[in-house]
Amino acid sequence: MPWVYKIAASDLFLEDSGDPGSQAPVTTKMTGFAFNQCNAYIVKDLGSKFSVVFPKEPINSWDIGNYEYVINADIQITPANAATLTKRYACNIKYKNKSDIAGVADLDNWSIDGLSGLSDL
């Protein structure tokens, strides 16, 4: 196993995309676009059975590098004929076009790699 650790710690799997990421929460134009696309995905995924209200900005957002982002936000969800619920979600999303920001408004240029907090709806 020690040789596996050496390989994993090496630069063998390192991809230099020009987007180094950050360990601390950040707010950038790209995290704003990622937040909007996560919200659009949630609306599409929930369908017409729910009414959803999103905040103006997320609680936290992280640029984890290689044009991949993690968004954490609270949303208000109102099911048909039921009381409004506040749910906190985490969305892992990646921009497919790397540094070409011309397509950031198109949901097809993003991939949702994980969404948590809404599975019980």
Side-chain angles (χ1 to χ4, degrees):
M1 284 303 281
W3 62 273
V4 173
Y5 292 124
K6 284 183 182 180
I7 292 173
S10 74
D11 290 342
L12 180 63
F13 299 106
L14 182 64
E15 180 179 340
D16 186 13
S17 65
D19 182 33
S22 172
Q23 292 182 359
V26 295
T27 302
T28 65
K29 285 183 181 181
M30 287 303 287
T31 60
F33 293 130
F35 174 61
N36 292 337
Q37 294 302 339
C38 284
N39 293 345
Y41 176 82
I42 290 168
V43 167
K44 183 179 175 183
D45 189 48
L46 291 177
S48 61
K49 297 183 291 185
F50 299 92
S51 172
V52 183
V53 177
F54 296 97
K56 290 183 181 181
E57 54 190 46
I59 296 168
N60 286 310
S61 54
W62 292 268
D63 178 347
I64 59 175
N66 198 26
Y67 302 94
E68 191 169 351
Y69 308 92
V70 174
I71 306 298
N72 177 237
D74 284 339
I75 59 175
Q76 294 181 347
I77 300 174
T78 307
N81 301 321
T84 299
L85 309 164
T86 299
K87 293 285 192 174
R88 180 165 292 176
Y89 75 85
C91 176
N92 183 348
I93 187 169
K94 185 168 186 166
Y95 184 57
K96 298 176 189 176
N97 293 355
K98 307 221 181 252
S99 62
D100 179 13
I101 64 167
V104 292
D106 186 354
L107 187 57
D108 291 336
N109 293 330
W110 295 84
S111 65
I112 301 291
D113 295 332
L115 180 66
S116 66
L118 305 176
S119 60
D120 61 341
L121 293 175

